[in-house]
Amino acid sequence: PSGPREPIVGPDAGPSPPYPVRFGGQVIKGFGRGSKELGIPTANIPLSGLSIGGHDDLESGIYYGWAALLLPPSTSPPLASDISYETTTTSSVEPQIYPMVMSIGWNPFYKNTVRSVEVHIIHEFAADFYGADIHLVILGYIRPEYDYVSKESLIDDIKTDIEVAKRSLGREAYERYKEDGYLRDFGEEE
């Protein structure tokens, strides 16, 4: 972008159509650049995840909302310092809800030939969680995809996206979507 970014996106009254958009899938390995090259890990889901609910027409760009992870009992829990994580000793596992920012698109900086869905969950995890089920409730659009002159400018813009997402989700009309039934229901359809 060639100018100052808006610090908050989306109407204060809450998401407006076509949002909220709900979809999900299983976390898969991506290109391996989020953590290694950018220092911003992503949970990638198959592009076919957009087809759930008919969302494969979502334009490329950066979005924000809430992510629910259903971590298998064998998965290492998030960092012990995170007091919001609750462990369980029973076989039933409750999904954990986190703010997220995500990219749908071609990643022009990397000249991808395949469109991808990459979710950055705004939380530090102690281990990877490939194969975990993830549900997403997208509440708004932050910006289109851009190409960048350097990796550093890409990283700076992603960090700005994260801050915009946090501020945007901090409003009451968006915060309440943490309780959305889709984020908590990991029935047999997955």
Side-chain angles (χ1 to χ4, degrees), residues 109-190:
F109 179 76
Y110 287 104
K111 313 292 186 251
N112 287 1
T113 58
V114 176
R115 198 168 184 233
S116 64
V117 178
E118 301 176 43
V119 181
H120 173 68
I121 298 172
I122 304 172
H123 181 82
E124 287 186 43
F125 292 90
D128 291 335
F129 44 85
Y130 298 120
D133 291 318
I134 187 169
H135 280 187
L136 306 170
V137 174
I138 301 172
L139 299 178
Y141 183 78
I142 295 177
R143 64 172 176 84
E145 281 190 298
Y146 296 120
D147 199 349
Y148 293 88
V149 296
S150 69
K151 184 168 49 173
E152 291 73 24
S153 61
L154 169 61
I155 292 168
D156 288 345
D157 225 20
I158 293 171
K159 287 180 179 178
T160 299
D161 295 334
I162 292 167
E163 293 306 313
V164 168
K166 286 197 261 186
R167 285 190 293 269
S168 298
L169 290 169
R171 297 171 291 175
E172 184 178 338
Y174 293 81
E175 182 87 19
R176 68 180 180 174
Y177 279 91
K178 283 179 20 181
E179 302 304 319
D180 189 286
Y182 181 72
L183 292 175
R184 300 187 181 283
D185 182 16
F186 283 79
E188 296 302 315
E189 80 280 358
E190 299 294 328

Side-chain angles (χ1 to χ4, degrees), residues 5-148:
R5 303 263 311 269
E6 291 295 325
I8 294 178
V9 294
D12 287 339
S16 59
Y19 308 105
V21 171
R22 296 169 179 89
F23 71 94
Q26 267 195 343
V27 177
I28 60 171
K29 287 191 180 220
F31 298 106
R33 297 186 289 238
S35 292
K36 292 181 185 111
E37 287 187 35
L38 304 176
I40 303 167
T42 58
N44 299 281
I45 62 173
L47 190 58
S48 61
L50 290 175
S51 298
I52 298 171
H55 303 297
D56 37 333
D57 62 342
L58 277 176
E59 70 180 278
S60 293
I62 311 304
Y63 295 84
Y64 67 99
W66 298 102
L69 272 178
L70 189 61
L71 297 170
S74 62
T75 302
S76 298
L79 296 175
S81 61
D82 178 20
I83 58 172
S84 68
Y85 183 81
E86 297 177 14
T87 58
T88 179
T89 56
T90 67
S91 60
S92 66
V93 177
E94 287 294 316
Q96 299 299 304
I97 314 295
Y98 304 100
M100 65 87 178
V101 62
M102 66 180 284
S103 167
I104 298 174
W106 303 94
N107 299 314
F109 179 76
Y110 287 104
K111 313 292 186 251
N112 287 1
T113 58
V114 176
R115 198 168 184 233
S116 64
V117 178
E118 301 176 43
V119 181
H120 173 68
I121 298 172
I122 304 172
H123 181 82
E124 287 186 43
F125 292 90
D128 291 335
F129 44 85
Y130 298 120
D133 291 318
I134 187 169
H135 280 187
L136 306 170
V137 174
I138 301 172
L139 299 178
Y141 183 78
I142 295 177
R143 64 172 176 84
E145 281 190 298
Y146 296 120
D147 199 349
Y148 293 88

